[in-house]
Amino acid sequence: MKLSKRFFSSLLQSTLIATVAASASFGVAQAQDARGSFLNVSYDVMRDFYKEFNPLFLEDYAAKHDGKKFQIQQSHAASSKQALSVANGLLADVVTMNQSSDIQLLVDKGLIKADWEQEFPDNAVPFTSLTVILVRKGNPKQIQDWDDLSKDGVDIVIANPKITGNGRYAFLAFYGAALKEHNGDQEKAKELARGILKNVSILENGGRAATTTFIQRGIGDVLLTFENEAYMAANEFGKDQFEVIYPKYSIKAENPVAIVDTVAERKGSQAVAKEYLDYLWSEPAQELAASLYLRPSDETVLKKYAERFPAVDTFRATETFGAWPDIMKNYFADGGVFDEVNKR
């Protein structure tokens, strides 16, 4: 795979927020039935994965269904924006998000069944990531862990936690690490959060937008983002320009998927949607995920690519902060913890 061409192409698309790729058929025939095209609504940094996953799935699907082919369309933007778009009428057959609260929004709207996590393995999470620290080569600010981000003179780029899953995971990563270090002391955690956020020069509207700002525009000393996004950026622009720093303790970013039941029922695409998401757990898809620095759920594939994935002590957001609805209310709603400590 030519990683540089793939990632450079996706960076050029980063300003096209929530654009559905009308030509995303990847060389296959147009849909032949009245159902129309199949739409996967996903978050922004997954462009690269689904560009390569969709052809793999379509080849497998054709082999199982007498050569039948159809068009797959993609929509990419910040995860929570995408969930709102679907809630407001975007006709997604499936959603592939980066936190379960975005899918829960669609459950609350009556678009997805309440037991969606039981419909697929691993609580409907085909692969995971974690939040890491991307710095410029030589690590001129000597960043080794979260505490170093609060030092004077450190310029940080991050996706906005108020509107993006990438940003929320980053905030919860260093906040949760502070809670562990200080035995659950909320004030100590807030102190660290204030120190880090005062050094944030830009709160971007999505994870890929944050990457573009840091990589292409050359702004900031540090980018907080997902492991897979950090490595894609570093590999594209050369390891002589960037380094990935692993904090001692970070958050496990879970990437859940679900069928949008009401849309699939209306379009008659339930069976296709189920096959499409099931294929995320296939060996080819898990191998693809690992090649793009997403940590596969398949333990055999994970072991095969072990050298790509350093062992890091991680925690789940729900283990430390409670259910996602509570996290959203307590930390990211207006007047929540993030607003309290974001005094830049």
Side-chain angles (χ1 to χ4, degrees):
M1 288 185 294
K2 295 183 178 180
L3 181 61
S4 61
K5 288 185 178 180
R6 173 175 60 218
F7 189 67
F8 182 68
S9 174
S10 64
L11 279 177
L12 291 178
Q13 298 178 55
S14 64
T15 57
L16 302 177
I17 303 301
T19 298
V20 176
S23 61
S25 59
F26 303 99
V28 302
Q30 296 290 323
Q32 297 295 314
D33 56 21
R35 183 175 71 227
S37 299
F38 182 90
L39 176 59
N40 173 14
V41 172
S42 190
Y43 61 104
D44 52 4
V45 303
M46 289 301 288
R47 299 173 195 269
D48 311 289
F49 175 83
Y50 284 106
K51 277 183 182 179
E52 299 197 30
F53 171 81
N54 287 347
L56 286 176
F57 168 74
L58 288 169
E59 182 179 355
D60 182 79
Y61 183 85
K64 293 176 179 176
H65 295 276
D66 299 321
K68 185 176 181 181
K69 299 177 181 180
F70 64 96
Q71 183 186 55
I72 299 173
Q73 292 183 328
Q74 289 292 137
S75 176
H76 294 280
S79 184
S80 294
K81 287 184 178 180
Q82 293 291 73
L84 285 171
S85 294
V86 176
N88 290 329
L90 183 60
L91 296 178
D93 298 82
V94 299
V95 290
T96 53
M97 300 301 196
N98 67 13
Q99 62 181 67
S100 61
S101 63
D102 293 325
I103 296 180
Q104 185 60 45
L105 170 67
L106 303 179
V107 173
D108 295 342
K109 291 285 187 179
L111 300 176
I112 293 177
K113 295 175 183 176
D115 63 349
W116 64 273
E117 289 180 296
Q118 281 69 60
E119 195 162 359
F120 299 98
D122 305 302
N123 293 318
V125 176
F127 32 72
T128 64
S129 191
L130 56 96
T131 298
V132 299
I133 303 168
L134 187 66
V135 300
R136 303 195 185 277
K137 186 65 177 181
N139 195 3
K141 300 295 182 176
Q142 294 300 297
I143 306 298
Q144 300 299 331
D145 210 342
W146 301 120
D147 288 348
D148 297 324
L149 298 178
S150 64
K151 296 188 300 188
D152 290 341
V154 177
D155 187 7
I156 303 168
V157 176
I158 184 176
N160 190 343
K162 294 282 284 186
I163 60 172
T164 71
N166 190 311
R168 289 184 197 119
Y169 276 119
F171 178 83
L172 294 174
F174 60 71
Y175 199 94
L179 287 176
K180 180 181 181 183
E181 182 179 357
H182 299 288
N183 299 313
D185 189 325
Q186 291 282 342
E187 292 308 313
K188 289 289 187 181
K190 290 177 182 179
E191 181 181 340
L192 176 63
R194 289 189 189 96
I196 292 175
L197 291 173
K198 72 176 172 56
N199 287 337
V200 174
S201 59
I202 295 180
L203 290 171
E204 276 291 2
N205 61 14
R208 181 52 57 86
T211 300
T212 301
T213 293
F214 183 72
I215 297 292
Q216 289 189 304
R217 295 172 63 194
I219 294 174
D221 305 304
V222 170
L223 172 68
L224 303 186
T225 192
F226 296 135
E227 178 183 37
N228 57 300
E229 181 75 350
Y231 272 108
M232 293 286 281
N235 286 347
E236 159 59 25
F237 290 92
K239 291 186 182 225
D240 59 335
Q241 296 187 48
F242 304 98
E243 297 179 19
V244 178
I245 305 297
Y246 283 89
K248 295 176 185 176
Y249 191 56
S250 190
I251 195 166
K252 178 184 286 187
E254 297 175 306
N255 314 129
V257 302
I259 298 170
V260 184
D261 296 292
T262 58
V263 174
E265 289 168 6
R266 186 189 320 169
K267 294 170 67 175
S269 61
Q270 301 101 314
V272 172
K274 183 70 165 60
E275 284 193 55
Y276 181 80
L277 294 184
D278 274 336
Y279 196 70
L280 290 169
W281 279 266
S282 70
E283 184 175 348
Q286 292 284 295
E287 292 256 0
L288 173 61
S291 76
L292 296 175
Y293 294 91
L294 292 158
R295 298 189 177 219
S297 295
D298 187 313
E299 289 296 327
T300 300
V301 177
L302 181 60
K303 289 178 181 178
K304 180 178 178 180
Y305 287 85
E307 74 283 353
R308 284 182 171 236
F309 303 115
V312 178
D313 190 9
T314 61
F315 66 96
R316 298 181 68 217
T318 52
E319 292 171 346
T320 298
F321 300 103
W324 269 109
D326 294 329
I327 295 173
M328 297 299 293
K329 177 182 177 182
N330 297 331
Y331 287 85
F332 303 113
D334 290 346
V337 172
F338 177 76
D339 283 349
E340 180 184 346
V341 297
N342 185 32
K343 306 296 183 183
R344 297 181 297 125

